[in-house]
């Protein structure tokens, strides 16, 4: 039997990664010095193949329906009703494409930078790619949970082996936070299985649940997803993880792993516990606004480039959770449902855009770090003089981070701010402060690092982008500009799913 | 017609892309020929569109070009609205841009970033055209931020200068404060009208008038007032109205051609244009219009005073720009939208001329900008001298010059206005006349007359600029002098704007002025009967007396009025406040939140308990020798197994 497209996308990179590891053990391992060419070529080939194979998900995607597509459903552990159940809708499909698009980029970014145990490094990213696609396409709760947890293993390896000096501390902090969150999620999933007699997430969606139970489930899921997003105040693992992670690790962490939290909200929390969401929405909105405002100011105070971008990530992810949790406030304030889908679409677009923009910024820091071996802002100044082509990219991505119209960074924030006004003046007011604060920390970074006279000898000796680095940044820049100039191809595949979710969440799940 | 409109915007865009990305391939000459050709094409087509709209009376064009995104019922599109107002703006933008492009050949002659500069100014032309041709709020905001972006890039064009990269950062941030308001204003409009399309919004403005927004708990404000005030905050940023004016003087760090194009003639007038475009909304909010009137009056008067104490030639012109933008804002606040736009047009010509003349002087003196080291340049650069004189006379509203008609139109209109703030505004615009001619001719005399105060080396090199610089000066001088005669009738008192500008009958101040209007000459004679031209002449006379006849006096006055002088030199302490309180305060707040909130509270108190757990885990892990990852995988499987086992036992 031919495996389905989703299975291929999951298992091809996983198997490719495992194979690479085996081969590396068998004598292809680096002998010091230059990285061997074969592992990275192999990894790149696999990731490009995966990307090519993922394109039918978009072009073959049936628009105008919120039904799951490309479904694969086989019994797995029949005794417990666990199934191998995969499928995608307008929420998961774009995230999968983001994953398959960025993985080759990440592999290219590590091309001749990673010299120690290079085969293992590339293998870890391939395995990670497959598992992340698994998270986005799993429709069985056990399968989802297995991917969700397993995905962390390659991530730990990436930070733990190729990371910076405090990598052990960072990994453990990351571990504790996520483990703490996942346990609660598991309990909630099991409870729902016991109620519905099925592990299917779609069955969970249809499950009537009393208000008290909804609140408990909601809180359990909130902990799991809030850690991933991450939301204030469970965010402090992220800056540490970013600082210690190698460039590729930071990119995948910011671009895709953080999206797991946002995805969790639209896949689980909103449709399963709408009444609890309606009850506790103000709480989540408050956390989102704190992320936008408070974390924005914190970003302003950073002197480490990676920390600054990490905090900026948290602030930008605030728009995702804000967009997802304003529906009830909109109904309460305006009496209508106009703007709800705008907010959710904003959150979704923001996730994709953030994948490009924050990924790109981490790539940029990587480019500089590879040359100067410092992440301190103070170690730079006037980089534009010696790296003009790099500076052009960095300024572009910085402006996208500051939400400039025409770049992807604008679209999601614009939608969410417009929508949040319908929920209340002050929601929009606080959210819109990102226009000022976001521009302040991002452009101040650019001013200190990129512009100015050549600050020191190291900057004077910099060489501009290599062809490989140029290609890497070019690919991401294309994504940033495409979504900024014409988001319609992205939003139109999401809309039916969003409309369906809106219908879903406005109906009570509390049994009569 | 759609293809003509597309050609107008796309020609400069394509030229900018080619000159920017392939500057080395096409070379210097290629870059300037390409961009000048593109802008010349845009200019010629804009003139054609102007002729169709204004002279032939063609139908208004309002159509979408492409769909940006559709969310539910909300269509977000990119499209054009071509009516007399946008046609006029297109002509102003492309013609001044064309002059500046030509001028740049001379001004940036020795600059290594030659192609990059041409790329930026063509890109600016594109962005500004998208802004004025837009038929919806989304594209307006796009253009709005895009011109801000190019302004940012151009102020920081000489990126190794610390002052330049400070100024462009500051300009972007201050503009973002305005955009913050602007975006919220758009959100109000969307909330109550459900659309971002201008015409649909105007048709549904009833809904905005009926609705209220609860800004403070318990106090409901009219939605249209909230919307208009927020939109005006956007205009205050872009059009540099107090207190968001602080970025414009610093923007003079950019090369002079862009000071003329962006920071005098076009971009900074975007706010004025936007308010005129939004007249169907503003007309229904007395409160917002009063605010516009007061802010404009304050800006017109107070920034003009600052122009008197500046010694940098470009900064004098910059403060003059601020003050004239204040005049335009006053006109809008008085519901004399047409007068505001009329002054926008004449100002675009004479102010671009003045900036380019200042640039010509700066080039002749090898990038000397301090007027205390100029003087007597009349002999060396006659064309610059005469064109600068014409520009200055237009600026001070010398009877018969273009600036006279437009400024007098504003003053007459304000004198008919009755809404709160009108008295203050009338005082400000009349007092401003004297101040304007005082600082203008102070500059003129210090630069071109009197003693030659430059060093011998500079003097020996002083010469008239090449034709690529003087030709734009001459071409800009023509409309600076003459355009008023043609435009005053149709624009102020005729139906030039047709239905573009909406007026409530009781707000029609220009209509009341029109009751006495017969002809441009009649308007001129009527103006001569008022105090205004005499104040203007008094300003020139005072400047002559102080700076040519008794050059010892200014120093004396300065020391006698030290506190006042200090206040002016320190620009009313706006910059000091912004830097010391706002900027440092924000960074300090960030530091505090980070060190206390994140590090101490969350990591310290919450995670530290866990941190001990971390070290404990680490110890266990080391002890187990299995690596924490396997440990983790193990824990996960155990957890899963336990849970499944529990289900099994229960089931």
């Amino acid at each position: 039997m031919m495996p389905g497209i989703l299975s291929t996308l999951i298992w091809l990179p996983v198997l490719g990664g495992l194979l690479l590891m085996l081969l590396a053990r068998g004598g292809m391992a680096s002998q010091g010095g230059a990285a061997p060419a074969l592992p990275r070529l192999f990894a790149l080939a696999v990731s490009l193949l995966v990307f090519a194979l993922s394109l039918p998900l978009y072009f073959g995607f049936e628009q105008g329906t919120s039904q799951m597509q490309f479904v694969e459903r086989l019994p797995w552990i029949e005794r417990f009703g666990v199934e191998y159940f995969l499928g995608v809708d307008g929420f998961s499909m774009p995230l999968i494409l983001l994953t398959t698009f960025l993985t080759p980029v990440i592999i290219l970014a590590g091309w001749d930078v990673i010299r120690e145990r290079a085969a293992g490094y590339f293998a870890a990213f391939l395995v990670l790619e497959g598992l992340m696609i698994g998270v986005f396409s799993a429709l069985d709760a056990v399968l989802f949970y297995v991917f969700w947890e397993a995905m962390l293993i390659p991530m730990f390896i990436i930070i733990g082996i190729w990371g910076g000096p405090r990598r052990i501390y960072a990994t453990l902090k990351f571990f504790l936070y996520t483990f703490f969150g996942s346990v609660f999620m598991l309990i909630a999933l099991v409870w729902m299985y016991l109620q519905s007699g099925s592990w299917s997430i779609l069955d969970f969606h249809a499950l009537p649940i009393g208000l008290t139970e909804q609140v408990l489930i909601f809180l359990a899921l909130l902990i799991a997803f809030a850690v991933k997003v991450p939301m204030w105040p469970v965010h402090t693992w992220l800056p540490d993880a970013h600082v210690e992670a190698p460039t590729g690790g930071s990119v995948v962490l910011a671009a895709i792993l953080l999206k797991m939290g946002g995805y969790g909200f639209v896949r689980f929390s909103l449709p399963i516990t709408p009444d609890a969401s309606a009850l506790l929405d103000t709480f989540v909105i408050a956390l989102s606004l704190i992320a936008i405002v408070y974390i924005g100011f914190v970003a302003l105070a950073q002197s480490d480039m990676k920390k600054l971008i990490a905090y900026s990530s948290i602030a930008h992810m605030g728009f995702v959770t804000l967009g997802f949790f304003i529906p009830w406030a909109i109904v309460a304030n305006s009496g209508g449902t106009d703007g709800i889908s705008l907010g959710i679409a904003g959150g979704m677009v923001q996730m994709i855009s953030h994948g490009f923009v924050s990924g790109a910024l981490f790539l940029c820091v990587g480019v500089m770090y590879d040359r100067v071996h410092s992440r301190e802002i103070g170690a730079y100044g006037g980089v534009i003089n010696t790296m003009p082509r790099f500076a052009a990219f960095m300024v572009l991505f910085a402006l996208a981070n500051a939400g400039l119209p025409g770049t992807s960074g604008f679209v999601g924030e614009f939608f969410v701010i417009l929508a949040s006004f319908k929920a209340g003046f002050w929601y929009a007011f606080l959210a819109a402060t990102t226009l000022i604060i976001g521009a302040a920390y991002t452009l101040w970074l650019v001013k200190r690092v990129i512009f100015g006279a050549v600050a020191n000898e190291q900057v004077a000796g910099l060489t501009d982008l290599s062809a490989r680095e140029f290609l890497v940044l070019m690919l991401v820049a294309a994504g940033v500009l495409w979504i900024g100039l014409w988001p319609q191809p992205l939003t139109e595949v999401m809309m039916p799913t969003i409309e369906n979710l809106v219908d879903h969440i406005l109906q009570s799940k509390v049994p009569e | 017609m759609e293809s003509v409109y597309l050609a107008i915007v796309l020609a400069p865009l394509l030229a900018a892309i080619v000159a920017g990305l392939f500057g080395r391939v096409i070379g210097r000459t290629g870059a300037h020929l390409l961009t000048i050709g593109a802008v010349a094409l845009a200019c010629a087509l804009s003139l054609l569109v102007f002729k169709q709209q204004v002279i032939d009376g063609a139908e208004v064009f309002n159509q979408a070009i492409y769909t940006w995104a559709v969310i539910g019922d909300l269509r977000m599109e990119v499209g054009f609205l071509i009516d007399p107002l946008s046609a006029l703006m297109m002509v102003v933008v492309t013609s001044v841009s064309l002059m500046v492009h030509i001028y740049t050949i001379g001004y940036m002659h020795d600059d290594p970033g030659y192609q990059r500069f041409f790329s930026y100014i063509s890109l600016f032309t594109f962005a500004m055209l998208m802004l004025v041709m837009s038929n919806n709020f989304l594209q307006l905001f796009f253009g709005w931020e895009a011109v801000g972006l190019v302004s940012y890039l151009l102020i920081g064009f000489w990126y190794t200068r610390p002052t330049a990269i400070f100024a462009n950062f500051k300009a972007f941030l201050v503009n973002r404060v305005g955009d913050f308001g602007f975006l919220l204003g758009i959100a109000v409009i969307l909330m109550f009208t459900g659309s971002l399309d201008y015409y649909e919004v105007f048709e549904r403005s009833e809904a905005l008038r009926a609705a209220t927004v609860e800004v403070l708990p318990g106090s409901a404000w009219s939605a249209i007032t909230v919307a208009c005030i927020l939109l005006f905050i956007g205009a205050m940023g872009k059009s540099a109205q107090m207190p968001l004016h602080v970025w414009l003087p610093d923007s003079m760090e950019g090369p002079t051609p862009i000071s003329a194009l962006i920071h005098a003639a076009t971009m900074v007038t975007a706010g004025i244009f936007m308010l005129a475009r939004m007249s169907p909304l503003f007309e229904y909010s007395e409160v917002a219009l009063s605010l516009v009137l007061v802010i404009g009056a304050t800006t017109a008067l107070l920034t003009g005073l600052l122009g008197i104490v500046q010694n940098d030639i470009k900064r004098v012109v910059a403060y003059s720009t601020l003050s004239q933008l204040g005049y335009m804002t006053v006109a809008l606040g008085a519901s004399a939208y047409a007068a505001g736009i009329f002054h926008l047009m004449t100002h675009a010509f004479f102010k671009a001329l003045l900036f380019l003349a200042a640039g010509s002087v700066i080039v002749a003196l090898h990038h000397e900008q301090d007027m205390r080291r100029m003087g007597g340049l009349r002999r060396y650069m006659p064309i610059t001298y005469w064109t600068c004189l014409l520009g200055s006379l237009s600026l001070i509203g010398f009877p018969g010059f273009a600036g006279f008609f437009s400024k007098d139109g504003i003053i007459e209109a304000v004198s008919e206005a009755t809404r709160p703030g009108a008295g203050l505004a009338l005082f400000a615009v009349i007092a401003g006349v004297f101040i304007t001619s005082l600082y203008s001719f102070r500059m003129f005399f210090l630069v071109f007359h009197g003693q030659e105060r430059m060093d011998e080396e500079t003097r020996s090199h002083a010469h008239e600029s090449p034709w690529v610089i003087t030709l734009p000066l001459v071409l800009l001088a023509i409309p600076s002098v003459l355009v008023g005669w043609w435009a005053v009738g149709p624009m102020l008192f005729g139906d030039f704007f047709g239905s573009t500008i909406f007026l409530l009958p009781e707000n029609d101040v220009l209509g009341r002025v029109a009751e006495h209007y017969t002809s441009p000459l009649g308007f001129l004679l009527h103006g001569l009967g008022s105090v205004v031209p005499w104040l203007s002449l008094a300003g020139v006379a005072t400047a002559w007396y102080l700076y040519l006849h008794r050059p010892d006096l200014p120093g004396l006055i300065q020391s006698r009025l030290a506190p006042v002088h200090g206040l002016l030199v320190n620009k009313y302490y706006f910059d000091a406040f912004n830097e010391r309180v706002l900027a440092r305060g924000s960074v300090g707040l960030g530091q505090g939140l980070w060190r206390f909130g994140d590090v101490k509270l969350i990591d310290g108190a919450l995670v530290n308990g866990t941190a001990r757990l971390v070290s404990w885990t680490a110890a266990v892990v080391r002890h187990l020798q299995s690596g924490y990852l396997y440990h983790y995988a193990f824990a996960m499987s155990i957890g899963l197994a336990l849970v499944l086992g529990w289900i099994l036992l229960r089931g």
Side-chain angles (χ1 to χ4, degrees):
Chain A
M1 190 185 91
M2 276 291 287
I5 182 168
L6 290 171
S7 285
T8 314
L9 294 179
I10 295 169
W11 300 111
L12 180 66
V14 171
L15 291 176
L18 293 176
L19 185 66
L20 188 55
M21 265 188 241
L22 283 178
L23 292 178
R25 288 260 166 102
M28 255 173 45
S30 155
Q31 304 297 321
L38 208 54
R40 61 191 192 190
L41 271 177
F42 178 79
L44 181 65
V46 171
S47 64
L48 284 175
L49 183 63
V50 172
F51 176 63
L53 291 173
S54 70
L55 289 176
L57 283 189
Y58 183 85
F59 293 104
F61 193 79
E62 193 188 326
Q63 294 189 14
T65 172
S66 61
Q67 294 298 309
M68 288 295 165
Q69 306 187 29
F70 304 98
V71 171
E72 295 171 41
R73 194 165 192 173
L74 299 166
W76 181 21
I77 310 171
E78 284 182 68
R79 176 129 197 216
F80 307 116
V82 179
E83 293 173 294
Y84 180 79
F85 183 13
L86 304 173
V88 290
D89 61 4
F91 289 143
S92 44
M93 188 271 283
L95 289 165
I96 292 177
L97 282 179
L98 179 73
T99 310
T100 61
F101 175 79
L102 284 177
T103 303
V105 170
I106 291 164
I107 288 172
L108 272 176
W111 202 244
D112 42 33
V113 179
I114 301 298
R115 284 154 192 254
E116 293 292 314
R117 301 200 240 179
Y121 178 84
F122 295 115
F125 277 100
L126 285 182
V127 173
L128 182 58
E129 176 182 24
L131 298 175
M132 291 189 301
I133 295 172
V135 173
F136 291 132
S137 48
L139 293 177
D140 179 279
V142 174
L143 189 62
F144 175 86
Y145 183 77
V146 169
F147 281 129
W148 176 274
E149 296 288 310
M151 165 186 88
L152 295 170
I153 297 174
M155 196 62 223
F156 290 149
I157 294 179
I158 289 165
I159 301 179
I161 295 183
W162 293 275
R166 293 178 72 225
R167 56 185 184 262
I168 303 293
Y169 169 76
T171 318
L172 283 174
K173 202 167 172 185
F174 182 23
F175 164 81
L176 279 176
Y177 263 112
T178 39
F179 189 75
F180 175 68
S182 302
V183 169
F184 288 96
M185 178 172 78
L186 183 62
I187 295 169
L189 296 180
V190 169
W191 190 88
M192 284 185 283
Y193 164 69
L194 293 175
Q195 295 300 308
S196 67
S198 156
W199 285 105
S200 160
I201 297 170
L202 301 181
D203 290 340
F204 291 176
H205 288 181
L207 189 65
I209 307 174
L211 189 58
T212 320
E213 291 86 349
Q214 275 199 34
V215 168
L216 291 173
I217 293 173
F218 178 86
L219 290 174
L221 295 174
L222 177 66
I223 293 169
F225 301 143
V227 166
K228 277 283 157 66
V229 166
M231 298 175 75
W232 187 89
V234 290
H235 64 281
T236 60
W237 63 272
L238 186 74
D240 285 314
H242 270 307
V243 165
E244 299 307 323
T247 300
S250 282
V251 175
V252 82
L253 187 57
I256 305 163
L257 262 126
L258 301 191
K259 308 304 168 313
M260 302 292 170
Y263 175 71
F265 284 123
V266 287
R267 180 61 75 229
F268 291 91
S269 305
L270 293 179
I272 294 174
T273 60
D275 303 283
S277 306
L279 201 64
L280 296 170
D281 66 330
T282 317
F283 173 62
V284 183
I285 291 173
L287 294 185
S288 310
L289 291 172
I290 291 174
I292 294 168
V293 179
Y294 169 113
I295 297 293
F297 277 107
V298 171
L300 203 54
Q302 302 306 312
S303 61
D304 177 310
M305 291 193 280
K306 270 193 157 181
K307 268 202 174 162
L308 194 156
I309 299 166
Y311 277 110
S312 151
S313 272
I314 302 166
H316 283 91
M317 290 301 286
F319 279 91
V320 175
T321 46
L322 178 61
F324 290 165
F325 280 91
I326 46 173
W328 299 277
I330 289 177
V331 173
N333 185 55
S334 72
T337 56
D338 269 6
I340 294 183
S341 51
L342 187 66
I344 296 176
M348 281 305 298
V349 175
Q350 177 78 348
M351 289 217 281
I352 304 290
S353 158
H354 180 262
F356 288 121
V357 177
S358 69
L361 285 172
F362 281 116
L363 287 170
C364 284
V365 173
V367 165
M368 289 188 280
Y369 183 82
D370 291 343
R371 289 163 171 75
V372 179
H373 300 289
S374 172
R375 296 181 312 263
E376 283 298 310
I377 292 171
Y380 296 87
V383 168
I384 188 172
N385 296 286
T386 41
M387 302 179 74
R389 290 203 292 178
F390 168 73
F393 280 111
M394 176 86 183
V395 170
L396 170 71
F397 296 131
L399 289 165
N401 201 46
L404 189 84
T407 66
S408 65
F410 167 73
V411 186
E413 292 179 15
F414 180 65
F415 288 180
V416 173
I417 291 170
L418 291 185
S420 61
F421 196 91
K422 300 193 187 202
F425 177 84
W426 289 102
Y427 291 153
F429 183 93
L430 290 172
T433 56
T434 189
L435 256 73
I436 305 165
I437 308 173
Y441 60 70
T442 316
L443 294 183
W444 195 27
L445 172 74
V446 169
K447 174 180 180 285
R448 288 178 291 174
V449 171
I450 300 294
F451 294 139
V454 172
N456 54 46
E457 283 190 5
Q458 280 195 302
V459 173
L462 287 175
T463 48
D464 209 344
L465 295 176
S466 67
R468 172 185 60 83
E469 290 167 328
F470 188 86
L471 176 68
V472 165
L473 295 179
M474 191 71 209
L475 288 170
V476 189
V480 168
L481 291 176
W482 162 55
I483 296 179
L485 295 173
W486 197 33
Q488 174 69 2
L490 177 62
T491 53
E492 72 185 349
V493 297
M494 293 175 177
M495 277 326 287
T497 313
I498 292 172
E499 303 284 3
N500 179 55
L501 177 67
V502 173
D503 291 344
H504 227 87
I505 62 178
L506 294 178
Q507 290 163 13
S508 173
K509 287 276 161 71
V510 178
E512 295 293 314
Chain B
M1 278 321 286
E2 193 178 319
S3 52
V4 172
Y5 305 140
L6 275 175
I8 291 174
V9 293
L10 291 182
L13 175 66
L14 292 176
I17 292 174
V18 173
L21 296 183
F22 307 104
R24 253 180 242 160
V25 182
I26 59 174
R28 294 178 151 237
T29 316
H32 74 231
L33 285 180
L34 179 70
T35 52
I36 288 173
V39 173
L41 176 69
C43 184
L45 293 176
S46 296
L47 285 167
L48 174 73
V49 170
F50 185 80
K51 175 183 166 289
Q52 288 170 340
Q53 281 293 327
V54 175
I55 296 166
D56 306 344
E59 288 277 299
V60 168
F61 176 95
N62 180 19
Q63 223 169 288
I65 302 299
Y66 80 90
T67 303
W68 188 71
V70 182
I71 306 289
D73 300 333
L74 177 62
R75 294 184 73 79
M76 289 174 264
E77 290 167 333
V78 170
F80 295 142
L81 169 62
I82 309 296
D83 60 7
L85 178 60
S86 37
L88 175 74
M89 291 300 290
M90 286 156 70
V91 170
V92 170
V93 170
T94 54
S95 60
V96 176
S97 176
L98 181 60
M99 292 304 112
V100 168
H101 270 75
I102 296 170
Y103 179 91
T104 298
I105 300 174
Y107 194 86
M108 299 299 282
H109 187 257
D110 303 323
D111 201 283
Y114 193 78
Q115 290 97 317
R116 185 163 57 96
F117 192 87
F118 276 100
S119 168
Y120 287 170
I121 55 178
S122 278
L123 184 64
F124 171 79
T125 311
F126 159 74
M128 191 70 203
L129 285 169
M130 289 300 279
L131 192 162
V132 297
M133 292 165 74
S134 168
N135 72 346
N136 65 80
F137 286 93
L138 172 76
Q139 187 182 337
L140 176 69
F141 192 74
F142 256 75
W144 194 265
E145 289 246 310
V147 290
L149 161 72
V150 191
S151 163
Y152 169 79
L153 294 172
L154 280 165
I155 297 170
F157 185 77
W158 287 313
Y159 47 72
T160 52
R161 296 186 184 175
T163 48
I165 60 174
F166 174 78
N168 77 342
F169 180 52
K170 178 173 168 183
F172 199 95
L173 277 193
V174 176
N175 268 290
R176 268 300 172 94
V177 176
D179 295 358
F180 163 81
F182 193 25
L183 184 56
L184 289 178
I186 294 174
V188 184
I189 287 167
L190 176 68
M191 173 162 179
F192 294 106
T193 65
S195 176
L196 291 175
D197 181 272
Y198 290 163
Y199 276 21
E200 282 176 24
V201 168
F202 297 158
E203 276 164 23
R204 300 176 199 168
S205 70
E206 190 85 37
L208 268 172
R209 277 180 276 153
T212 55
V213 177
E214 199 167 302
V215 175
L216 296 174
S219 75
W221 295 10
S222 153
I224 200 155
T225 294
V226 175
C228 289
I229 289 177
L230 289 168
L231 291 178
F232 178 57
I233 291 174
M236 284 165 67
K238 199 107 292 176
S239 291
Q241 297 297 299
M242 280 182 144
L244 299 183
H245 67 289
V246 291
W247 65 274
L248 186 65
D250 286 20
S251 79
M252 296 299 121
E253 292 298 333
T256 307
I258 62 116
S259 306
L261 175 62
I262 300 181
H263 303 122
T266 58
M267 182 187 85
V268 289
T269 61
I272 310 299
F273 161 77
M274 187 263 284
L275 259 59
R277 183 53 96 204
M278 296 304 139
S279 59
L281 302 180
F282 276 83
E283 275 297 283
Y284 290 106
S285 178
E286 276 292 308
V287 178
L289 284 173
S290 271
L291 179 73
V292 174
L293 194 59
V294 170
I295 296 271
T298 317
T299 307
L301 187 63
L302 293 187
T303 57
L305 285 171
L306 296 182
I308 302 174
V309 299
Q310 298 299 315
N311 291 317
D312 182 310
I313 181 170
K314 280 181 72 182
R315 290 200 180 232
V316 178
V317 192
Y319 279 105
S320 156
T321 304
L322 284 173
S323 172
Q324 297 306 308
L325 289 166
Y327 272 86
M328 297 175 214
T329 308
V330 165
L332 303 171
S335 286
Y337 305 95
I341 295 294
F342 183 28
H343 197 55
L344 183 162
M345 176 184 73
T346 61
H347 176 260
F349 293 125
F350 66 69
K351 191 53 65 69
L353 167 60
L354 286 172
F355 260 119
L356 296 184
S360 175
V361 169
I362 293 168
V363 168
L365 298 182
H366 292 274
H367 292 273
E368 175 61 73
Q369 298 189 190
D370 193 328
M371 297 190 299
R372 286 168 298 190
R373 289 193 287 275
M374 295 181 184
L377 284 171
R378 180 179 44 147
R379 291 200 295 125
Y380 303 97
M381 19 194 359
I383 304 177
T384 306
Y385 172 78
W386 283 106
T387 50
C388 187
L389 176 62
L390 295 177
S392 299
L393 289 173
S394 195
L395 167 62
I396 68 166
F398 190 81
F401 283 67
F404 166 81
F405 291 104
S406 58
K407 194 176 288 181
D408 222 40
I410 292 175
I411 294 171
E412 297 265 355
V414 173
S415 69
E416 292 287 342
T418 51
R419 68 171 50 101
L424 170 74
L426 187 62
F427 166 74
V429 291
I430 290 179
V433 169
F434 175 79
I435 296 167
T436 306
S437 54
L438 177 58
Y439 67 66
S440 299
F441 274 81
R442 169 177 174 265
M443 175 187 116
F444 187 75
F445 292 140
L446 283 177
V447 172
F448 291 106
H449 290 266
Q451 273 189 324
E452 299 175 7
R453 295 178 299 276
M454 54 289 222
D455 56 46
E456 203 44 51
E457 163 81 17
T458 313
R459 188 208 320 270
S460 62
H461 288 103
H463 58 84
E464 184 56 281
S465 300
W467 72 269
V468 284
I469 286 184
T470 52
L471 177 70
L473 296 182
V474 174
L475 292 179
L476 283 168
I478 297 168
S480 301
V481 177
L482 295 177
V483 75
W485 291 91
W486 164 76
V488 63
M491 281 182 75
L492 286 190
F493 309 117
D495 61 348
F496 180 93
F497 291 108
S499 59
T500 307
I501 286 172
F502 172 81
L503 277 176
L504 291 176
E506 64 267 29
N507 288 349
D508 189 8
V509 286
L510 282 172
R512 269 169 260 158
V513 178
E515 287 162 15
H516 326 288
Y517 180 78
T518 48
S519 66
L521 189 64
F523 187 79
L524 177 70
L525 293 175
H526 177 75
L528 286 178
S530 77
V531 66
V532 174
W534 308 109
L535 274 176
S536 159
L537 284 179
V540 178
T542 312
W544 171 80
Y545 186 77
L546 288 177
Y547 295 96
L548 287 184
H549 189 66
R550 290 284 306 277
D552 56 311
L553 269 183
L556 202 66
I557 297 172
Q558 189 176 316
S559 57
R560 284 282 164 77
L561 294 175
V564 179
H565 185 253
L567 185 68
L568 294 180
V569 166
N570 287 297
K571 300 162 277 185
Y572 312 117
Y573 298 96
F574 272 104
D575 281 343
F577 175 80
N578 290 339
E579 280 157 34
R580 288 188 201 145
V581 180
L582 295 183
R584 267 187 225 171
S586 299
V587 177
L589 178 65
Q591 288 278 1
L593 290 175
W594 180 43
R595 293 197 192 287
F596 182 76
D598 268 39
V599 176
K600 214 165 190 171
L601 215 62
I602 299 174
D603 270 2
L606 282 173
V607 188
N608 231 0
T610 343
R612 272 191 288 281
L613 194 61
V614 169
S615 43
W616 174 80
T617 317
V620 171
V621 167
R622 269 195 299 278
H623 182 68
L624 288 175
Q625 294 281 315
S626 60
Y628 46 91
L629 295 160
Y630 301 102
H631 181 76
Y632 175 68
F634 181 66
M636 177 187 127
S637 340
I638 296 270
L640 201 59
L642 281 177
V643 170
L644 289 174
W646 176 57
I647 301 168
L648 189 64
L649 287 176
R650 273 192 46 153

